[in-house]
Amino acid sequence: MHTVWKGNLSFGLVNIGVKLHSAIEEKDVKLISLHKDCLVPIQHEKIAPGCDDDRIEANDIIKAYEYRPNEYVLISNEELESMKKAYEVKSVTIISFVQLEEIDPVYFDRSYFLSPTGGSEKAYVLLRQALERTGKIGIVSISLRSRQHLAVIRAHERCLILETIHYPDEVRTVDMVPNIPADDQITIQTKEFIAATTLINQLTVPFVPADYTDQYRTALLDLIESKIEQHDVQSKPILSPTSERIATIIEALNASIEQTKSTAKPKPVHKSTQVTS
């Protein structure tokens, strides 16, 4: 499993060498865009509308922040790299412990498995068992993929798992959502409420992740497999050189061979010459 991050996890004065591995495997069916006539993949070129340059090269692109319409603060690659190094977290310290139920699911972002490095197995198991016994999770700060993240560490089966969470200012408030009715604006009859709660209770089951599948992805894969089995596929035509061009190449090769024969002369071998393999 690919290592995303490697460093130390500090639990008080206890240091645990850990590796971070992505717990998520994207299962999207990747479709590409082709030109329908020649089946050539469509290229998305970087252009600057209104600029004299037809195509933009990578070294012509700079980073900037638009602080007012059409007004920018330019930030160089050197400045970005300097800040990344200054704020990169190589050692993670558990800042505090909280109850998992205190964090609303809207804050959770991405999950990673934590594995111990050599010699840290005992401390790793100790932290995992302590989290299991207390029912707590640890709050940490970590640098991943060129940005700093707030994250939690919790026990997950026999493993420790790290989950990045959004900062409070990244999560929009309910007040920003339009047309949310207040309870005093809507009248709910008692029999309606009883019927709704009864239905919820009847549909309540233990959560088994394996019971849920991506039906769209499954149907799309079935469609692709069906088309392959029915030979309903298209192949991009391979353009062959013309026979005239082939003849020219062959003539050139033959001429080269003949030229080599006429100019090649056997090299004299002296008795003092040593041949090594």
Side-chain angles (χ1 to χ4, degrees):
M1 187 179 287
H2 176 67
T3 299
V4 177
W5 181 89
K6 181 179 180 181
N8 290 319
L9 171 62
S10 297
F11 170 41
L13 297 178
V14 179
N15 288 323
I16 310 171
V18 293
K19 295 180 180 180
L20 209 61
H21 316 277
S22 179
I24 305 300
E25 182 181 3
E26 299 293 346
K27 291 289 188 177
D28 287 344
V29 180
K30 298 186 182 300
L31 301 178
I32 64 174
S33 298
L34 301 178
H35 184 258
K36 67 177 182 178
D37 293 331
C38 57
L39 301 183
V40 173
I42 302 298
Q43 295 183 355
H44 300 279
E45 297 181 344
K46 294 182 179 180
I47 62 172
C51 182
D52 293 335
D53 295 334
D54 293 334
R55 295 181 58 184
I56 306 300
E57 302 297 334
N59 57 4
D60 294 326
I61 300 174
I62 57 176
K63 299 292 184 182
Y65 176 78
E66 187 176 14
Y67 69 99
R68 279 203 299 260
N70 298 319
E71 295 193 41
Y72 308 95
V73 175
L74 304 185
I75 303 176
S76 67
N77 291 332
E78 291 75 15
E79 289 173 318
L80 285 175
E81 289 300 320
S82 176
M83 290 194 64
K84 288 177 184 177
K85 291 181 180 179
Y87 291 94
E88 185 177 13
V89 179
K90 289 293 186 181
S91 181
V92 176
T93 301
I94 297 180
I95 304 169
S96 58
F97 293 93
V98 300
Q99 296 286 348
L100 178 60
E101 295 77 12
E102 294 181 61
I103 303 178
D104 192 284
V106 72
Y107 283 92
F108 286 92
D109 182 21
R110 194 174 180 89
S111 301
Y112 299 88
F113 290 125
L114 280 170
S115 67
T117 57
S120 295
E121 292 84 359
K122 183 175 181 178
Y124 179 92
V125 173
L126 172 63
L127 176 58
R128 193 198 73 218
Q129 290 182 351
L131 291 175
E132 289 174 338
R133 181 69 60 87
T134 60
K136 301 291 179 62
I137 61 174
I139 304 292
V140 302
S141 181
I142 187 172
S143 294
L144 292 173
R145 296 186 173 92
S146 302
R147 62 165 295 194
Q148 196 170 46
H149 295 268
L150 192 62
V152 302
I153 291 178
R154 63 184 180 88
H156 175 72
E157 297 180 358
R158 297 181 297 107
C159 184
L160 286 176
I161 194 168
L162 179 144
E163 294 183 88
T164 54
I165 60 177
H166 297 289
Y167 287 99
D169 59 354
E170 295 177 319
V171 178
R172 292 172 174 170
T173 63
V174 176
D175 296 336
M176 302 174 67
V177 183
N179 304 323
I180 299 296
D183 287 350
D184 57 6
Q185 295 177 314
I186 304 295
T187 301
I188 303 296
Q189 301 294 331
T190 301
K191 61 181 180 180
E192 294 172 332
F193 182 79
I194 293 175
T197 54
T198 300
L199 178 60
I200 290 173
N201 291 330
Q202 289 179 347
L203 294 177
T204 299
V205 297
F207 177 63
V208 180
D211 291 344
Y212 304 90
T213 58
D214 186 339
Q215 296 179 344
Y216 170 78
R217 178 167 58 88
T218 301
L220 181 56
L221 288 172
D222 288 343
L223 175 63
I224 293 171
E225 187 64 29
S226 174
K227 285 179 174 288
I228 294 174
E229 291 177 354
Q230 297 173 16
H231 303 288
D232 185 10
V233 297
Q234 300 290 327
S235 299
K236 176 184 174 183
I238 300 175
L239 301 179
S240 303
T242 63
S243 58
E244 181 180 353
R245 177 60 182 164
I246 293 176
T248 305
I249 294 174
I250 291 176
E251 289 173 0
L253 288 172
N254 287 335
S256 299
I257 293 172
E258 292 301 321
Q259 187 179 27
T260 303
K261 287 180 180 179
S262 62
T263 58
K265 295 182 180 180
K267 294 182 179 180
V269 179
H270 301 285
K271 292 183 179 179
S272 60
T273 302
Q274 295 183 350
V275 181
T276 59
S277 57

